[in-house]
């Protein structure tokens, strides 16, 4: 059993990863609320953006971790633009074609996009070679533990995103329109809400969030591993599921808790080694438990109404 | 998925009992066609193809069982499980472990592997009793991801000591066992074809009888099935158990195709997603869909690699191909449904 002092660096690390889960969860919730789509291609889109940025930064087999110099610093905004563009393109071109299907089929469509992008990445960037992107970052010590500026920025960004998105949804006309569409798409359309435009805006917002997450995620992982980054989304779904794809606050706190628990299990060894070995199952265990709790009363749908 | 709309439309237009009868009696697996296909696979393919293609048809036979099991859940019961890979992995792990740890005949340990997978299948099925649709897909995807972590930690046995049976020294790694009557690649291929045929017949028998009719009813309306006195809980669990058994047996059969040091790559999250794309592309409303999907995923890709571009392009690009195919299928089925005036 490790001493309490040993946990501190892992708590910091867990807060940073939890923040990434939380921001991803926010992007998923806003998009699901507006369009009924769980964007399972979130990770693949971000990974594609990160790989393009890596190439633009001058990355090569002899230089697997390139540093931004001169004009190449534009690779960072390019990453966000690529993610936003890909997400918006899917939202405008493909998503409307599936708009009348149930959320399951709409979400399966994004799996198609994820596979499509993953295949391109495998063909273009050899998966067997290590790659990484670094952000300009400084290290300093807080209460005996080393903290990086990337970790702090991730945490601050998560709080900012949740607060701004919550205010946006509650206080602005567009936010109200988004909530109206989430409530009833057809009635909102009849009342004059430009559903297509609002949905496109939700896709764009989700894409920008995706870009920002993947600006920070590769430096936190210290790797551009395609599998890890693409399927990061599965872990991030945990918080969104606990928040039932509706509450941003619950999603935020659940994601932070998942990130911290997952991280603080790392130093366990000897008799408790299994806790360290299986720590990555934390989001799945939490999500499955949440789903079982949410659906503890079995329901069936009869004539469009949910019956207990 | 184009078939989704067609069937939806047919079932909506015709009296329900007529639709069910038509499906169970004729569409699932024509016995004559199945026997012809079985004989062709058993005798024609080994006689006319070289060892490279035999290896590919072997992979196809294994994959067809897994694809058919996932298609059965989706197409027949209306449950999208992204966790079939977990059952596949469990079947493989148990078979390999028992093949090193016991002198039991290979077919017996494959069946035990299948039964072990049933436990996982039922475990996955338990949340399915309460949730469906998107939440079920997400739960099963998470279970598949969880199983990847478990397999990553346990690793596949390779003749080492202890419960895990993992040897760390290269010199201690032993080859995976095959049945004594199927030691060569061709005989093992034939053994696999027989195994796949038995699995397809088992599924077909259940689909054409009472469970099949109950599943069809649940797929159309769970509330109506409950009202009609169908034990929804029992039949949903039976569906998960059958699908898991098929996937577990496939995993066990797959164990014999890898001579040494099984990797977990075939059982990871990406494989879970790839499987559902293959299943949807092959077609979910017929067991033949599993076979077709498996053909696309194995032999067709190898053919393209050999004859069109080569240099592993198609193997790497396979994910894109199936991703694109999945999207096209979903869009086409939506269009077909809208044309028929049905909101799918």
């Amino acid at each position: 059993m490790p001493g309490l002092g040993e946990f501190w660096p892992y708590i910091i690390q867990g807060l940073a990863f939890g923040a990434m889960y939380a921001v991803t969860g926010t992007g998923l919730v806003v998009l699901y609320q507006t369009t009924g789509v769980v964007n399972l291609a979130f990770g693949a889109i971000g990974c594609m953006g990160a790989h393009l940025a890596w190439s633009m930064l001058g990355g090569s087999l002899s230089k697997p971790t390139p540093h931004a110099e001169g004009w190449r610093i534009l690779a960072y905004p390019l990453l966000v633009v690529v993610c936003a563009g890909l997400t918006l393109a899917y939202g405008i071109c493909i998503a409307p074609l599936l708009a009348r299907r149930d959320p399951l089929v709409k979400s399966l469509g994004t799996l198609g996009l994820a596979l499509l992008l993953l295949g391109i990445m495998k063909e273009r960037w050899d998966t067997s070679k290590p790659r990484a992107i670094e952000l300009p970052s400084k290290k300093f010590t807080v209460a005996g533990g080393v903290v990086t500026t990337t970790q702090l920025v991730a945490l601050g960004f998560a709080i900012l995103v949740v607060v701004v998105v919550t205010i946006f949804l509650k206080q602005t006309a567009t936010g109200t329109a988004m909530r109206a569409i989430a409530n009833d798409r057809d009635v909102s359309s009849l009342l004059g809400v430009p559903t297509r435009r609002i949905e496109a805006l939700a896709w764009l917002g989700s894409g920008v969030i995706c870009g920002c997450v993947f600006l920070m995620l590769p430096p936190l992982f210290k790797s551009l591993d395609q599998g890890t980054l693409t399927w990061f989304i599965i872990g991030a779904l945990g918080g969104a599921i606990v928040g039932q794809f509706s509450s941003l606050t619950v999603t935020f706190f659940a994601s932070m808790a998942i990130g911290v628990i997952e991280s603080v299990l790392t130093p366990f060894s000897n008799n408790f080694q299994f806790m360290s070995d299986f720590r990555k199952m934390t989001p799945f265990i939490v999500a499955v438990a949440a789903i079982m709790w949410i659906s503890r009363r079995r329901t069936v749908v009869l004539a469009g109404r949910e019956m207990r | 998925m184009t078939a989704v709309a067609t069937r939806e439309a047919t079932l909506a237009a015709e009296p329900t009992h007529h639709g069910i009868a038509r499906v169970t009696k004729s569409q699932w697996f024509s016995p004559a066609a199945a026997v012809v296909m079985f004989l062709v696979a058993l005798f024609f393919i080994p006689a006319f193809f070289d060892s490279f293609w035999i290896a590919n048809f072997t992979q196809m036979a294994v994959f067809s069982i897994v694809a058919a099991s996932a298609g059965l859940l989706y197409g027949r019961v209306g449950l999208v499980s992204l966790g079939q890979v977990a059952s596949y992995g469990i079947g493989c792990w148990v078979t390999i472990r028992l093949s090193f740890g016991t002198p039991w005949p290979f077919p017996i340990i494959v069946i035990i592997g299948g039964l072990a997978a049933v436990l996982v299948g039922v475990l996955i099925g338990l949340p399915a009793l309460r949730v469906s649709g998107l939440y079920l897909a997400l739960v099963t995807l998470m279970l598949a991801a969880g199983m990847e972590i478990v397999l990553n930690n346990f690793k596949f046995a390779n003749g080492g000591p202890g419960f895990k049976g993992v040897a760390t020294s290269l010199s201690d790694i032993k080859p995976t066992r095959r049945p004594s009557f199927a030691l060569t690649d061709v005989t093992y291929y034939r053994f696999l074809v027989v195994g796949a045929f038995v699995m397809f017949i088992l599924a077909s028998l259940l689909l054409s009888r009472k469970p099949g009719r109950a599943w069809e009813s649940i797929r159309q309306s769970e509330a109506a099935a409950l009202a009609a006195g169908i034990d929804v809980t029992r039949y949903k669990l039976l569906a998960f158990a059958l699908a898991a058994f098929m996937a577990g047996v496939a995993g066990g059969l797959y164990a014999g195709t890898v001579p040494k040091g099984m990797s977990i790559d075939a059982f990871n999250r990406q494989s879970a997603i790839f499987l559902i794309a293959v299943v949807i592309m092959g077609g979910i409303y017929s067991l033949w869909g599993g076979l077709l999907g498996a053909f696309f995923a194995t032999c067709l890709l190898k053919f393209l690699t050999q004859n069109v571009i080569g240099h592993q392009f198609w193997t790497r690009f396979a994910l894109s191909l199936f991703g694109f195919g999945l999207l096209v299928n979903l869009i086409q089925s939506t269009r077909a449904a809208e044309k028929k005036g049905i909101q799918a």
Side-chain angles (χ1 to χ4, degrees):
Chain A
M1 198 65 182
L4 278 177
E6 287 178 54
F7 283 119
W8 179 237
Y10 293 100
I11 291 172
I12 299 288
Q13 195 180 33
L15 284 171
F17 276 107
M20 291 295 95
Y21 282 151
V23 179
T24 305
T26 305
L28 291 174
V29 169
V30 171
L31 188 65
Y32 181 77
Q33 282 286 305
T34 316
T35 64
V37 181
V38 174
N39 183 11
L40 296 168
F42 191 95
I45 291 169
C47 192
M48 175 62 105
H51 274 82
L52 285 170
W54 180 84
S55 290
M56 192 175 168
L57 283 168
S60 64
L61 293 182
S62 58
K63 200 175 164 189
T65 311
H67 296 282
E69 288 161 349
W71 65 271
R72 288 183 190 274
I73 203 156
L74 290 174
Y76 297 120
L78 171 85
L79 194 160
V80 181
V81 170
V82 166
C83 293
L86 277 173
T87 311
L88 183 63
Y90 182 87
I92 289 176
C93 302
I94 310 288
L97 300 174
L98 299 171
R100 293 182 68 81
R101 301 295 294 264
D102 60 77
L104 171 65
V105 175
K106 286 196 250 188
S107 305
L108 281 179
T110 62
L111 278 184
L113 176 66
L115 287 177
L116 189 74
L117 294 176
L118 206 49
I120 293 169
M121 284 187 277
K122 275 184 190 296
E123 174 55 27
R124 175 65 187 80
W125 293 279
D126 187 354
T127 48
S128 61
K129 303 289 185 288
R131 287 185 186 82
I133 289 183
E134 281 183 353
L135 280 176
S137 178
K138 283 183 182 171
K139 288 179 181 175
F140 52 94
T141 308
V142 176
V146 178
V147 180
T148 67
T149 46
T150 309
Q151 289 171 330
L152 281 184
V153 169
L155 189 57
F157 181 68
I159 295 167
L160 184 74
V161 166
V162 173
V163 171
V164 168
V165 171
T166 305
I167 292 170
F168 174 78
L169 287 177
K170 286 189 176 167
Q171 304 292 330
T172 65
T174 310
T176 308
M178 281 182 171
R179 286 189 290 126
I181 291 173
N183 206 23
D184 195 315
R185 190 178 189 273
D186 291 337
V187 171
S188 307
S189 190
L190 278 172
L191 290 173
V193 175
T195 47
R196 282 282 178 94
R197 211 169 66 205
I198 298 292
E199 283 175 350
L201 200 65
W203 281 102
L204 179 66
S206 172
V208 171
I209 288 176
C210 173
C212 295
V213 167
F214 277 82
L215 206 54
M216 287 175 272
L217 206 55
L220 288 173
F221 274 122
K222 296 182 175 68
S223 159
L224 265 184
D225 180 67
Q226 289 169 10
T228 308
L229 292 180
T230 300
W231 305 121
F232 168 81
I233 181 73
I234 302 179
L237 277 169
I241 287 174
V242 175
Q244 297 187 47
F245 287 103
S246 59
S247 168
L248 290 179
T249 316
V250 175
T251 300
F252 175 80
F253 284 110
S255 300
M256 295 302 287
I258 288 169
V260 172
I261 293 169
E262 193 178 326
S263 188
V264 295
L265 292 177
T266 310
F268 283 89
S269 58
N270 299 326
N271 288 338
F272 298 98
Q273 179 66 40
F274 70 95
M275 292 172 80
S276 178
D277 292 342
F278 293 102
R279 69 185 188 281
K280 287 184 179 169
M281 289 181 78
T282 310
F284 314 138
I285 292 169
V286 170
V288 172
I291 287 181
M292 296 299 279
W293 172 255
I294 291 163
S295 58
R296 61 193 180 280
R297 287 184 192 166
R298 190 174 154 186
T299 58
V300 292
V301 177
L302 192 59
R305 291 180 63 192
E306 203 171 71
M307 316 286 282
R308 289 192 186 277
Chain B
M1 284 292 284
T2 310
V4 179
T6 315
R7 274 173 44 73
E8 294 272 5
T10 313
L11 291 173
E14 295 173 2
T16 310
H17 68 275
H18 184 198
I20 293 173
R22 185 179 59 75
V23 167
T24 52
K25 283 182 182 165
S26 65
Q27 274 198 348
W28 276 92
F29 206 63
S30 157
V35 169
V36 169
M37 182 66 86
F38 173 62
L39 293 175
V40 165
L42 205 59
F43 299 110
F44 178 81
I45 288 174
F48 289 93
F49 289 91
D50 61 14
S51 57
F52 174 82
W53 285 105
I54 293 292
N56 282 310
F57 281 113
T58 302
Q59 298 294 330
M60 179 185 156
V62 172
F63 207 67
S64 67
I65 308 174
V66 195
S69 73
L72 184 144
L73 277 178
Y74 189 2
R76 188 60 170 190
V77 201
L79 301 169
V80 177
S81 169
L82 299 176
Q84 279 308 96
V85 162
S87 304
Y88 182 44
I90 286 288
C92 188
W93 192 90
V94 171
T95 302
I96 292 182
R97 187 67 198 93
L98 290 179
S99 75
F100 283 116
T102 68
W104 299 341
F106 193 80
I108 299 292
I109 57 175
V110 168
I111 291 170
I112 295 173
L115 292 174
V118 168
L119 290 177
V120 177
V122 171
L123 199 72
I124 292 172
L126 286 174
L129 299 175
R130 293 178 177 176
V131 294
S132 58
L134 181 62
Y135 272 108
L136 177 64
L138 295 180
V139 169
T140 51
L141 179 61
M142 293 197 152
L143 286 170
M147 190 54 69
E148 181 189 346
I149 294 166
V150 171
L151 288 176
N152 223 347
N153 279 290
F154 273 72
K155 301 202 167 23
F156 285 98
N158 54 17
F163 174 72
K164 294 181 182 175
V166 178
T168 44
S169 164
L170 278 177
S171 58
D172 293 336
I173 295 176
K174 294 172 187 163
T176 312
R177 183 149 64 93
R178 278 183 177 180
S180 56
F181 54 84
L183 293 174
T184 67
D185 286 350
V186 171
T187 50
Y188 192 72
Y189 161 76
R190 286 193 165 126
F191 170 67
L192 258 171
V193 169
V194 173
F197 184 70
V198 170
M199 285 300 105
F200 276 70
I201 292 295
L202 174 69
S204 185
L205 281 174
L206 281 170
L207 286 167
S208 60
R209 282 169 172 72
K210 194 178 171 185
R213 290 190 290 277
W215 289 332
E216 180 66 29
S217 177
I218 292 168
R219 194 187 69 80
Q220 288 184 46
S221 167
E222 196 175 323
L226 271 171
I230 291 170
D231 189 341
V232 172
T233 305
R234 187 176 144 208
Y235 282 109
K236 271 190 176 180
L237 281 181
L238 180 64
F240 271 105
L242 173 66
F245 181 69
M246 290 173 72
V249 166
L253 294 171
Y254 179 64
T257 66
V258 178
K260 257 185 182 183
M262 175 68 75
S263 140
I264 68 149
D265 287 351
F267 313 102
N268 60 19
R269 289 163 287 183
Q270 191 172 296
S271 302
I273 309 294
F274 184 65
L275 176 66
I276 203 71
V278 167
V279 167
I280 290 176
M281 275 186 77
I284 55 170
Y285 286 109
S286 163
L287 289 176
W288 292 112
L291 210 58
L292 190 64
F295 174 75
F296 289 152
T298 54
C299 294
L300 185 63
L301 281 178
K302 286 291 174 189
F303 176 79
L304 292 172
T305 303
Q306 289 278 305
N307 299 293
V308 183
I309 295 183
H311 301 298
Q312 296 296 314
F313 172 80
W314 291 105
T315 312
R316 286 179 186 159
F317 210 62
L319 290 172
S320 294
L321 215 58
F322 279 88
F324 182 71
L326 175 62
L327 274 173
V328 170
N329 254 300
L330 294 176
I331 291 166
Q332 284 301 324
S333 68
T334 306
R335 281 188 177 160
E338 282 173 354
K339 210 179 241 180
K340 298 275 181 189
I342 296 163
Q343 188 169 331

